[in-house]
């Protein structure tokens, strides 16, 4: 990275437990791992997992930093994953304390998503030229989303006409 606040950010991992019937929701974040001032954000969240199964879909982008407001020229667009914010004056940076979530990406997880680990990324677009006119670089932050499903049940039993039915249920790993 460029040696500025990009080195002081990290992506969080998250997990979601699906009940087998309903869609789930999970949020990953770009978190500060040191105190810093941020003057601008430009980048893209993946709109789905990189594995290409189309089971995760970006639903919303938010922030926990009070003076980062996505209005006017500043925006966070979930359908495209694009994020753009600047303090406009270079005198009112976003104050990101260690542990603060600069960006949150919430994904809807389809009810039929197989158990496993899925990857999403945030691509931070950074200006690296001293003339502030050209040459961009990209810094990637990767988050892992773990999906779990309810345990499967296997039932077995015997039945003879005229007798009571006895069923034994054994929980299998899931």
């Amino acid at each position: 990275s460029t040696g500025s606040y990009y080195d002081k950010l990290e992506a969080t991992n998250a997990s979601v437990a699906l009940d087998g019937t309903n869609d789930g929701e999970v949020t990953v974040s770009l978190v500060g791992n040191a105190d810093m001032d941020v003057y601008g954000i430009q980048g893209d969240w993946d709109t789905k997992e990189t594995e290409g199964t189309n089971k995760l879909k970006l639903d919303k982008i938010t922030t926990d930093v009070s003076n980062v407001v996505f209005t006017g020229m500043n925006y966070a667009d979930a359908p495209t994953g694009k994020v753009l914010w600047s303090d406009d004056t270079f005198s009112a940076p976003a104050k990101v304390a260690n542990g603060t979530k600069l960006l949150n990406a919430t994904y809807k997880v389809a009810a039929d998503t197989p158990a496993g680990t899925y990857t999403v990324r945030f691509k931070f677009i950074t200006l690296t030229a001293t003339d502030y006119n050209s040459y961009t670089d990209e810094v990637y932050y990767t988050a892992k989303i773990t999906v779990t499903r309810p345990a499967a049940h296997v039932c077995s039993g015997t039945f003879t006409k005229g007798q009571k039915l006895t069923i034994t249920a054994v929980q299998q790993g899931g």
Side-chain angles (χ1 to χ4, degrees):
S1 75
T2 62
S4 61
Y5 58 81
Y6 306 107
D7 296 337
K8 299 176 185 172
L9 293 167
E10 62 188 15
T12 62
N13 298 323
S15 62
V16 59
L18 298 178
D19 64 10
T21 304
N22 299 300
D23 290 345
E25 183 177 274
V26 64
T27 300
V28 294
S29 301
L30 194 59
V31 177
N33 59 22
D35 294 346
M36 70 187 101
D37 291 342
V38 176
Y39 290 89
I41 305 166
Q42 182 176 355
D44 303 292
W45 280 104
D46 286 339
T47 57
K48 61 181 180 179
E49 70 285 2
T50 60
E51 290 79 9
T53 58
N54 293 314
K55 296 295 185 179
L56 280 67
K57 180 181 178 188
L58 183 59
D59 186 52
K60 62 185 167 188
I61 302 168
T62 60
T63 181
D64 290 1
V65 180
S66 62
N67 67 321
V68 174
V69 180
F70 296 119
T71 58
M73 295 289 292
N74 299 310
Y75 62 88
D77 184 54
T80 64
K82 295 191 178 307
V83 177
L84 179 65
W85 176 85
S86 80
D87 76 344
D88 296 329
T89 65
F90 288 99
S91 63
K95 299 286 187 184
V96 180
N98 186 5
T100 300
K101 297 174 183 173
L102 177 59
L103 292 174
N104 305 300
T106 301
Y107 289 84
K108 292 285 186 191
V109 182
D112 62 347
T113 302
T117 302
Y118 300 86
T119 304
V120 295
R121 298 177 307 166
F122 180 74
K123 176 179 67 177
F124 221 127
I125 300 169
T126 67
L127 185 66
T128 56
T130 56
D131 64 3
Y132 298 101
N133 196 16
S134 58
Y135 306 108
T136 57
D137 194 9
E138 298 170 348
V139 178
Y140 287 89
Y141 300 91
T142 301
K144 299 287 185 182
I145 296 173
T146 302
V147 175
T148 59
R149 301 190 59 75
H153 298 287
V154 176
C155 297
S156 62
T158 57
F159 178 74
T160 305
K161 189 173 182 178
Q163 293 184 339
K164 236 169 49 171
L165 176 63
T166 303
I167 297 177
T168 305
V170 179
Q171 182 172 335
Q172 304 288 316

